[in-house]
Amino acid sequence: MSTDPAAEAGPATGTDTGADAEAGPDATGSDTTGRGRVAVIVPAAGKGERLGPGAPKALRELGGFPLLVHAVRTLVTARSVDLVVVAAPPSAEGVAEVQRLLADLPGDTRVVAGGDTRQESVALALATLPEDCDVVLVHDAARALTPVDVVEAVVAAVRDGAGAVIPVLPVADTIKAVDADLVTATVDRSTLRAVQTPQGFTRDILTKAHAAADPTLPATDDAGLVEALGLPVRTVPGHAEAFKITTPFDLVLAEAVLRRRR
């Protein structure tokens, strides 16, 4: 495991030097670059206060291991993933703790200091990626049980030409618009989707999206930043087990999923 991707990356390799590599994303947001490496950014600096006081959310334990370890273990087993960069809590102690937790995992796993917001953490990690990574996924550590098939589906969709890809699930509940305590409308849920991670992007598009983002209006997901550029975002099927572990009840549900897997 490395802790300084920029210093250790060395010269870029595996990048197509032909016309396709120079073209980049077209006007529709589709990727026309070469088939470089795939990197996954995992922002893990958040406090996760809805889980209660204590360690940062990504470091809360599930089945004896932190959520972050579960998430990264899946990512490094994905055949399409070449590199995982974790944005740790922005302190020397936070970085050192994440380094320790990930030290025994296989694959190329690196740790950088994150920022005060999720958006800042992703941008900081993105800036450290080696030049030959032309597909970038962003994955929430709190979605610790996301199946590897979802990861592979997102990468495949980007490789197939999409500039931005998100896994989604249909909304099962009836949705109401509410003003104070009064219902104002019943929303048509047929066009609604619940969004999961990892979200996948061509590197150029994700870089442009973060460069154009308003730091005073942090986005809840990276696809929202791409949408703000007016570029299309494609969807692929998500998975029920890719739910976000945010509350103590979610931890109970996650423990049940782990027991079933075993």
Side-chain angles (χ1 to χ4, degrees):
M1 181 185 70
S2 169
T3 61
D4 188 358
E8 296 185 14
T13 59
T15 303
D16 187 352
T17 57
D20 285 347
E22 296 176 357
D26 64 21
T28 67
S30 297
D31 178 36
T32 56
T33 62
R35 296 179 64 84
R37 297 200 300 158
V38 175
V40 185
I41 293 171
V42 183
K47 295 179 180 179
E49 294 176 347
R50 281 179 288 179
L51 269 176
K57 177 167 59 177
L59 305 186
R60 301 297 180 94
E61 287 200 353
L62 168 65
F65 295 94
L67 299 179
L68 176 64
V69 172
H70 287 284
V72 174
R73 184 182 289 135
T74 295
L75 295 171
V76 298
T77 61
R79 293 174 63 88
S80 62
V81 172
D82 300 293
L83 168 67
V84 177
V85 177
V86 177
S91 67
E93 295 80 6
V95 171
E97 175 65 6
V98 172
Q99 291 171 357
R100 182 187 67 79
L101 291 172
L102 303 182
D104 295 331
L105 293 181
D108 191 352
T109 303
R110 310 180 185 185
V111 181
V112 299
D116 293 331
T117 66
R118 180 189 187 280
Q119 188 171 311
E120 184 180 0
S121 291
V122 173
L124 288 169
L126 181 61
T128 72
L129 296 184
E131 292 181 5
D132 62 346
C133 293
D134 65 7
V135 175
V136 183
L137 275 58
V138 183
H139 186 48
D140 292 334
R143 298 187 186 273
L145 301 180
T146 298
V148 70
D149 288 351
V150 176
V151 179
E152 300 289 11
V154 171
V155 173
V158 178
R159 290 294 195 206
D160 195 40
V165 180
I166 58 174
V168 300
L169 289 178
V171 175
D173 294 328
T174 297
I175 304 297
K176 302 284 188 181
V178 176
D179 182 4
D181 61 350
L182 294 176
V183 172
T184 60
T186 299
V187 181
D188 178 9
R189 69 186 182 195
S190 67
T191 62
L192 300 180
R193 297 293 182 270
V195 180
Q196 300 179 327
T197 69
Q199 300 183 354
F201 310 88
T202 61
R203 181 176 183 159
D204 283 351
I205 285 179
L206 186 59
T207 300
K208 289 176 182 177
H210 274 272
D214 183 346
T216 65
L217 299 171
T220 57
D221 73 341
D222 297 271
L225 300 179
V226 173
E227 293 166 42
L229 295 179
L231 296 176
V233 178
R234 178 177 165 188
T235 66
V236 296
H239 195 284
E241 293 181 3
F243 64 94
K244 191 172 186 179
I245 300 171
T246 304
T247 67
F249 177 78
D250 296 332
L251 277 174
V252 174
L253 180 59
E255 291 282 2
V257 172
L258 275 184
R259 286 194 299 271
R260 186 180 60 80
R261 288 183 177 183
R262 290 168 182 161

